[in-house]
Amino acid sequence: MNRPPPPAGPPRGPPGPPKSRPPPPSHKSGSGSTGKINTSAAPQPEPPLVPPPPPIAHEYFSESKLPSCKSSYCTPAEERTIRRRTCRFLEEACRVLKLPRVAMSTSMVLLHRFYAVHSFEHHDRFEVAVGCILLAAKTEESPKKLISVLQECYRLKNQSKRAAAAAAAAKKSGSGSMDSVSGSAATVASLNLASVSDDGKTKTDKRGYLDLKCETFIKLKERILLLERVILHTIGFELSIDHPYKFLVEQIKKMVPSRQVEYIANASGSNGTSGPTLSMAEQTKMTNELVQNAMNFANDSMHTSLCLQYDPEVVAQTCVYMSGQYCKMRPTEGRRWLDVLDECINMGDLASTAIQIMELIADKKGIDKKTFIPIHTDIERMKKLMGAGTGTSTGAGVHTSRSGDRPRPPLGNSEQREAKRPRM
């Protein structure tokens, strides 16, 4: 069988060399470029680094410019009082819920940051506090159920009403005075607090907890869930919060073994140490005493707006200083406290933070204000030394009087220190 001939085409020859791919076109440097490929040219040098712009001089933190004060809802002093009362509510609620101390402090920082943007007039502080507890518990890996947090906070909020009911019941039965009964937690807890509001929307059981099916609980639950998202958006989803605790412990553990501090009464031998070095027992005693009191001052600082004004390292150094003064200690070898504290703090920051903490503690009942006289005296002495030129110039001209705003140090020309804004 004959096959048809192949179709006509160009004559086939021997295979030639493989075709090379053209190199990629080079970038034209300008309108006069010829477009030729220059494979031997060296790489062009990187453009010179442009220096960063100078820092913008912002305003200092001022309580009069907080939203609640700007809207004339309250004065700076009233705003400060509202913050402190809300922080006390947070502290008691976290204690009832058995949350760790770090979660309690985180909830307070969240509250301060939220009300640095929003006003107390527009958001109920009780509901915001509940949202802060929920977020803080999740952040510090101690989550709590929404129902349990809401129930305990609602019960705690109405505790004063239960105390008044207990006092009225005791007065009616004649079992005791009103003051003694109102302070008895056992009497308050033993009352039958089951009640129904006039409109039928609020129902509570005998322990003071809300009925899960009543309209008040359902709406409150919805508002708390909404507020939780509002808080997250307000703080920019910044949930990594540092507290002064770890910094003050590190500072004390660095000071005590190197014998940078000593008891003032060491010459008399009542509280002092013997010899140039400290034994392990003496180091442990001094460390525990300093840490305990510094922790207490740090806990009190959470009730103020210091977390909006300073880094936690600065607050920690102030707490160490106040703890040393409270324990009647002093730096060794005639040094000042600023010489043994960390370099992150200066005279202005030390004076401002210490005064704010002392003002908070002085408002508490049963506190002897004479305890803080040595701290005030030492701060004034250090300020005079700094102003006389025996040290850095950051402490000169520190304003400690209050005229609506918190005491703030002036801008130091030597350091070109940028003023702080509330950190969101």
Side-chain angles (χ1 to χ4, degrees), residues 79-97:
E79 205 268 355
R80 198 180 313 125
T81 302
I82 295 174
R83 284 180 182 268
R84 294 176 182 178
R85 289 179 178 176
T86 311
C87 287
R88 285 198 293 268
F89 172 80
L90 281 172
E91 191 172 26
E92 185 63 27
C94 291
R95 187 178 295 111
V96 173
L97 292 168

Side-chain angles (χ1 to χ4, degrees), residues 47-255:
L49 296 177
V50 180
I56 301 175
H58 300 300
E59 298 178 352
Y60 284 112
F61 175 84
S62 175
E63 284 185 335
S64 61
K65 296 184 179 180
L66 289 172
S68 300
C69 301
K70 289 179 65 177
S71 62
S72 300
Y73 175 72
C74 59
T75 64
E78 293 172 346
E79 205 268 355
R80 198 180 313 125
T81 302
I82 295 174
R83 284 180 182 268
R84 294 176 182 178
R85 289 179 178 176
T86 311
C87 287
R88 285 198 293 268
F89 172 80
L90 281 172
E91 191 172 26
E92 185 63 27
C94 291
R95 187 178 295 111
V96 173
L97 292 168
K98 298 181 180 179
L99 288 172
R101 181 71 216 189
V102 64
M104 187 186 304
S105 300
T106 299
S107 66
M108 296 182 189
V109 174
L110 294 177
L111 178 83
H112 288 305
R113 292 185 179 182
F114 180 84
Y115 281 113
V117 179
H118 300 281
S119 173
F120 284 100
E121 181 182 8
H122 301 146
H123 297 276
D124 182 79
R125 60 190 181 98
F126 162 73
E127 297 177 359
V128 174
V130 176
C132 292
I133 292 176
L134 288 171
L135 286 176
K138 297 174 185 177
T139 303
E140 303 303 337
E141 299 180 356
S142 303
K144 295 291 183 179
K145 292 182 179 180
L146 172 61
I147 294 178
S148 60
V149 174
L150 201 154
Q151 291 281 39
E152 291 295 344
C153 289
Y154 183 85
R155 185 171 181 266
L156 183 62
K157 178 186 176 183
N158 294 276
Q159 188 173 5
S160 58
K161 297 180 181 179
R162 297 197 304 272
K171 185 178 181 180
K172 184 177 181 180
S173 61
S175 58
S177 63
M178 184 178 295
D179 295 335
S180 62
V181 176
S182 61
S184 176
T187 305
V188 174
S190 63
L191 287 176
N192 185 358
L193 301 175
S195 63
V196 180
S197 62
D198 296 336
D199 54 4
K201 296 180 180 180
T202 304
K203 298 180 181 180
T204 57
D205 59 9
K206 61 181 181 180
R207 296 178 299 172
Y209 293 124
L210 277 172
D211 185 5
L212 300 182
K213 297 181 180 180
C214 70
E215 184 177 349
T216 299
F217 178 83
I218 296 174
K219 290 186 175 181
L220 184 58
K221 180 180 177 181
E222 293 175 355
R223 291 198 301 269
I224 296 301
L225 291 175
L226 177 61
L227 262 177
E228 191 175 7
R229 295 192 294 270
V230 174
I231 295 172
L232 283 173
H233 282 278
T234 301
I235 66 176
F237 293 87
E238 181 60 42
L239 295 174
S240 179
I241 299 176
D242 291 328
H243 298 296
Y245 305 116
K246 63 178 181 181
F247 301 108
L248 64 88
V249 172
E250 292 174 357
Q251 180 64 28
I252 292 174
K253 288 184 177 180
K254 182 174 65 175
M255 288 168 39

Side-chain angles (χ1 to χ4, degrees), residues 376-399:
H376 277 288
T377 305
D378 188 69
I379 289 176
E380 293 297 330
R381 181 182 61 83
M382 287 193 295
K383 283 164 51 181
K384 290 180 181 179
L385 291 176
M386 303 293 276
T390 58
T392 60
S393 61
T394 57
V398 177
H399 303 285

